[in-house]
Amino acid sequence: MTQQYKLLFVCTANICRSPMAEGFASVLGETYGFNVQARSGGIMNLKGHPPAKNAIKTMKKEDIDISPLRSSGVYPEDVEWADYILAMEPKHAIKLREAFPKAEQKILILANFGGKMKIADPVGSWIFRFHSTRKEIRKCILGFLGELAKRDN
């Protein structure tokens, strides 16, 4: 039986980093034979905005289309749904822990799984910054999934 995980990715506005992570999650999950479902949200509670144009462009290079995604806040039903909540920066994790103290154990910082403290926000930057953010997100998700795989064995 395939191991299933529900992952919630969180950044500031939910238009750059977390939609990119959401787009990657199920594809990268297959690397480990996992069935990964993903959602994303932002602590800014921005609603209904498409991902940044450069986020869409950089993910298209991976054959992943995130253009249908729309920004959202982080709601109790998302927190309840998720097995793990992966924040892009420590400040996101702090806000999430304050808002959802019962979920503290499942709130993690995604960057830590790639040896970093945070995945910097590329909003408003050149496409090259988005490419490097995409690479960081991929590395960190693979690191996280690798830890899950070790735990499951």
Side-chain angles (χ1 to χ4, degrees), residues 3 5 17 30 42 44 64 66 68 76 86 90 96 98 104 111 120 143:
Q3 185 65 41
Y5 292 104
R17 295 168 288 178
E30 290 173 10
M44 214 170 95
I64 297 171
I66 62 169
L86 296 153
L96 289 165
E98 287 170 356
E104 182 178 358

Side-chain angles (χ1 to χ4, degrees), residues 9-15 18 40-46 71-74:
F9 295 96
V10 179
C11 67
T12 304
N14 190 217
I15 60 169
S18 55
S40 62
I43 59 169
M44 214 170 95
N45 206 23
L46 188 67
S71 63
S72 173
V74 179

Side-chain angles (χ1 to χ4, degrees), residues 63-84:
D63 291 323
I64 297 171
D65 182 12
I66 62 169
S67 65
L69 300 178
R70 293 295 175 263
S71 63
S72 173
V74 179
Y75 303 105
E77 54 271 20
D78 297 318
V79 171
E80 182 68 31
W81 170 86
D83 296 317
Y84 295 98

Side-chain angles (χ1 to χ4, degrees), residues 13-134:
N14 190 217
I15 60 169
C16 295
R17 295 168 288 178
S18 55
M20 290 166 68
E22 180 180 353
F24 262 139
S26 62
V27 174
L28 296 177
E30 290 173 10
T31 306
Y32 288 96
F34 296 153
N35 175 5
V36 175
Q37 296 175 40
R39 292 182 187 174
S40 62
I43 59 169
M44 214 170 95
N45 206 23
L46 188 67
K47 292 184 180 97
H49 292 263
K53 283 184 173 56
N54 282 342
I56 293 169
K57 283 183 194 171
T58 196
M59 292 305 287
K60 277 203 171 145
K61 292 191 178 299
E62 300 287 331
D63 291 323
I64 297 171
D65 182 12
I66 62 169
S67 65
L69 300 178
R70 293 295 175 263
S71 63
S72 173
V74 179
Y75 303 105
E77 54 271 20
D78 297 318
V79 171
E80 182 68 31
W81 170 86
D83 296 317
Y84 295 98
I85 301 166
L86 296 153
M88 298 295 153
E89 300 182 32
K91 71 179 181 183
H92 301 142
I94 290 167
K95 287 216 182 257
L96 289 165
R97 287 182 182 122
E98 287 170 356
F100 306 103
K102 289 182 179 155
E104 182 178 358
Q105 294 301 310
K106 57 177 158 178
I107 299 169
L108 305 168
I109 298 167
L110 181 61
N112 293 172
F113 295 93
K116 295 184 169 236
M117 287 301 295
K118 73 178 195 173
I119 296 172
D121 194 348
V123 71
S125 298
W126 293 84
I127 189 74
F128 306 108
R129 180 71 190 105
F130 279 82
H131 291 330
S132 102
T133 299
R134 180 189 70 215

